[in-house]
Amino acid sequence: MEQIRNIYCVGRNYRLHAAELGNAVPEYPMLFSKPTHALAYANGQQLELPGSRGELHYEAELVIRIARPYEPGLTLEEMVDQIALGIDFTLRDVQSELKKKGHPWLLAKGFRNSAVLTAFRPFPGLAACHATDFSLKKNGEEVQRGNIRDVIFDLMTIIRYTHEHFGVGEGDVIFTGTPAGVGPVADNDRFALLWGGETWGSFTAKLV
C-alpha cells in the first residue's frame, strides 16, 4: 500500500460531466479534499458503502501521485512519479442538499471508502496518457470512458493551483476529474477499472 498524505480532488474537470449534472463549467480548478479514512483499494474485495443516505454515485478518474514539493520550472514528469485509477464515490442526494445550503461537500464526499484506488503504476508520461483511455465497467458493461486530453484544466495547471492554495508534497494524490457517465450504485454491483484494455483493479459494492 502506498504512503498517501493528502487526497485532493478536482470537480467538474470534464465539460460533458458538468453538463450532465447541470453545472456551469468552472473558470478555475474546483478543488476539494477527502480524509485519508476515505481510502480503499480495488483489490477484488467486497467494499462497504453507505446505502441509507440517498443515491450513491460512482465517478471514475485518473489519479496522480506527487513525487516532490512543487518548485517553479519543474516539469510534469518531475512532479508526478505514479498514476492509478480511482473512484470518487459521491452521495448525490446529500451533495445536492449541501449545495442548496451553500455548505461544504465533505459529508457527500468524505465518508469511509469513498476514495477507491487501484495499485499505483509508474507514470508513463503525458503522451502515453493522451494515447490511452481509462474506463469503468459495472457488472461487465462499460459505463464510463475518459482521457485526460479532454480535461478543462491540465495536470500541471491543477498541480500549480493546488500548490498555490494548499501546498503539495511527496505522497499527495490528486483525483483529476471524472468524465461523463456517472450513475447510481446498487448492492452487489461489480466494478472494474481499466487502463486501455488492462484491468487495474476491481471490487464489489456492499451497501450497508
Side-chain angles (χ1 to χ4, degrees), residues 17-18 34 41 47 50 76 100 108 111-112 125 127 129 137 141 161 169 182-183 187 204:
H17 171 58
K34 293 178 181 255
Y41 284 84
L47 196 64
L76 181 64
K100 288 177 184 177
F111 52 91
R112 286 186 296 275
C129 289
K137 289 185 176 181
E141 295 188 7
Y161 191 85
V182 303
D187 192 34
T204 299

Side-chain angles (χ1 to χ4, degrees), residues 24-208:
V25 174
E27 298 178 2
Y28 46 83
M30 181 179 292
L31 296 178
F32 60 93
S33 65
K34 293 178 181 255
T36 52
H37 290 293
L39 279 173
Y41 284 84
N43 56 16
Q45 84 281 36
Q46 189 176 76
L47 196 64
E48 291 190 352
L49 293 162
S52 60
R53 289 180 246 171
E55 198 162 77
L56 176 69
H57 278 195
Y58 53 79
E59 300 187 19
E61 313 199 8
L62 177 71
V63 182
I64 58 175
R65 182 187 183 275
I66 301 299
R68 58 189 293 177
Y70 177 81
E71 296 176 23
L74 290 177
T75 66
L76 181 64
E77 284 71 18
E78 291 170 320
M79 284 299 306
V80 175
D81 60 355
Q82 296 177 333
I83 63 171
L85 300 177
I87 296 181
D88 161 25
F89 277 114
T90 303
L91 288 166
R92 191 69 69 200
D93 293 338
V94 174
Q95 185 189 38
S96 296
E97 286 302 311
L98 293 170
K99 287 162 65 176
K100 288 177 184 177
K101 297 175 181 178
H103 291 178
W105 293 359
L106 186 58
L107 288 174
K109 292 282 194 178
F111 52 91
R112 286 186 296 275
N113 297 335
S114 63
V116 176
L117 288 172
T118 68
F120 279 88
R121 311 289 182 96
F123 179 46
L126 187 60
C129 289
H130 283 179
T132 308
D133 289 352
F134 63 91
S135 60
L136 177 68
K137 289 185 176 181
K138 184 176 80 165
N139 301 323
E141 295 188 7
E142 184 177 298
V143 289
Q144 282 190 279
R145 175 173 289 268
N147 190 298
I148 60 165
R149 65 175 177 265
D150 298 323
V151 295
I152 299 168
F153 304 104
D154 63 33
L155 298 185
M156 275 308 298
T157 297
I158 292 168
I159 292 170
R160 285 193 295 267
Y161 191 85
T162 305
H163 162 73
E164 178 183 350
H165 291 275
F166 304 108
V168 294
E170 182 180 0
D172 292 343
V173 300
I174 302 176
F175 283 66
T176 59
T178 193
V182 303
V185 180
D187 192 34
N188 291 318
D189 275 347
R190 293 173 286 106
F191 291 94
L193 288 153
L194 291 85
W195 179 251
E198 181 184 0
T199 299
W200 278 16
S202 63
F203 63 94
T204 299
K206 177 62 177 176
L207 300 189
V208 295

